[in-house]
Amino acid sequence: MQITWRKTADTATYEDARVGRVFNHRRPQRYPLAVVKASSENDIAAAVKLAIEHNCRVAIRSGGHSWAAWSVRDNSILIDLGDYKHLEVDPKRGIARATPSMTGKDINGVLTKKHGLMFPGGHCPDVGLGGFLLQGGMGWNCRNWGWACERVRALDVVTANGDLAHCNSQQNSDLYWAARGAGPGFPGVVTRFHLDLVPYPKDGFRSSGYVYPIRHYHEVFRWIISITPDFDNDTEIAAVANYPEGQDELCLFILFVTMKTSAQEAERALAPAQETRPAGAIVEWFCQEDSLENQYINQAKANPEHHRYCADNAYIHNDADVPAVLEEAFTTLPHKKSFALWFGMNPCSRRNLPDMALSMQSDHYFALYTVWEDEKDDLRCQAWVRNIMQKVERHSVGAYLGDSDFQVRKTRYWNDKNARRLMEIRRKWDPTGRICGYLDQGDISGTKGLANAHEWKL
């Protein structure tokens, strides 16, 4: 177990330990007392006990991809799990056991090539399983296959007291319930996830794409919303406003990614979009051979390393005029590397969810990923996001934990019943607030947790 203490380490060593694995280069001005690089479950338990000994809090970093850098906290011992990477696969049973810092690309690189299986992890290749699954997991084809956390059959945890606990529907069931949707407020440190896998559709992994000038925004957006509810149930559907690589014109990109068992099935699945697409696309392709590996490459280009980020999101009311609500967000991006995203979530959003903390959803998921390079653009880009969200949130039912920053605004992340139960479970398992939890403004939420209420800014 490697420990870097702020008081004794040289500045460069401490800074690398503090933020070297933080994806967002808009670095936080928060300073842990120490950073522990754990490489085993025993290291994690020892780090929690070290925090108890020093009467300080515990923060956890899995992949370091949190936009708000939740892992970097004052008066804490940061447990960095970057060196704790293990994967075990039982292909006959379709089960994997993976540590939290394993990324979707990590595990699928093994699963797809060696076992013909996959796990619907995060779209960005470097998102760690820990944060992704705790916040629910809006993974591949979520609109049909459901939330990735629904495929967590069990997990191993180090509690706030430094004890080991196995959690499933029968054993420590309240922690198991909380782990599927608590986000950074989970009152323990996950050391291993036990996951149900799905077959990898190598031959039927195909995509269709349509790129339109932004002047076609309303026609194209209304088309994609109209066809989504009844579209093929193995196909992911997204609309993205961005500047295509090498171009100065803002465009609306519609992407269908289908995962069928054969190329013929994929073609049948994608045909309704091809047959009904509006005219005017400047680039398009139909049922092109694709793969998870290729999608990870594209996602990495859209989310480049060594950049500054400001993200926010909302679930838009099902009965809202979505193209009108999102028009400004999609047509006024503040930087050429930024993008706005709409995911179709119907039919997943229309079914009853399993009994778990995750409970916030709608037919329309919207997110802003504002990306830039120069610190001088910080205020302008952040102000643009705030301005957009002040208007959009009036039409929202709540937000997704993964693309949120609790320091900036309050909203709803669960239904009221689940929110109350979750905060009670947190206080039961961590009555002193040892685990840092939700990073709100001033980092004062403590054992109270989040209020789970809209903040309608004027």
Side-chain angles (χ1 to χ4, degrees), residues 176-191:
Y176 176 63
W177 181 92
R180 294 169 299 153
F186 182 70
V189 187
V190 178
T191 63

Side-chain angles (χ1 to χ4, degrees), residues 127-193:
V127 169
L129 286 178
F132 171 75
L133 288 172
L134 285 175
Q135 64 208 15
M138 192 182 293
W140 293 102
N141 197 27
C142 185
R143 68 171 281 262
N144 295 294
W145 294 354
W147 297 88
C149 70
E150 297 178 57
R151 301 183 186 276
V152 177
R153 62 164 50 194
L155 59 152
D156 299 310
V157 173
V158 172
T159 69
N161 292 327
D163 301 324
L164 301 178
H166 183 71
C167 310
N168 56 32
S169 60
Q170 305 298 319
Q171 186 176 355
N172 298 311
S173 59
D174 53 352
L175 275 183
Y176 176 63
W177 181 92
R180 294 169 299 153
F186 182 70
V189 187
V190 178
T191 63
R192 186 174 284 102
F193 292 99

Side-chain angles (χ1 to χ4, degrees), residues 48-49 52 58 157-163 187-189 429-435:
V48 172
K49 291 175 181 176
I52 295 171
V58 169
V157 173
V158 172
T159 69
N161 292 327
D163 301 324
V189 187
W429 283 91
D430 186 15
T432 65
R434 182 71 57 199
I435 308 297

Side-chain angles (χ1 to χ4, degrees), residues 29 38 42 90 101 104 157 176 188 197-198 267 360 363 426 435:
Q29 300 302 305
N42 288 337
D90 184 341
S101 66
V157 173
Y176 176 63
L197 308 175
V198 298
E267 185 171 339
M360 180 57 63
D363 292 350
R426 293 183 70 253
I435 308 297

Side-chain angles (χ1 to χ4, degrees), residues 342-373:
W342 171 88
F343 262 142
M345 302 298 289
N346 187 334
C348 176
S349 55
R350 295 298 179 105
R351 65 183 173 90
N352 292 326
L353 290 168
D355 186 21
M356 57 185 181
L358 178 73
S359 49
M360 180 57 63
Q361 56 180 358
S362 80
D363 292 350
H364 309 284
Y365 179 70
F366 158 69
L368 289 174
Y369 302 97
T370 311
V371 190
W372 67 98
E373 298 163 85

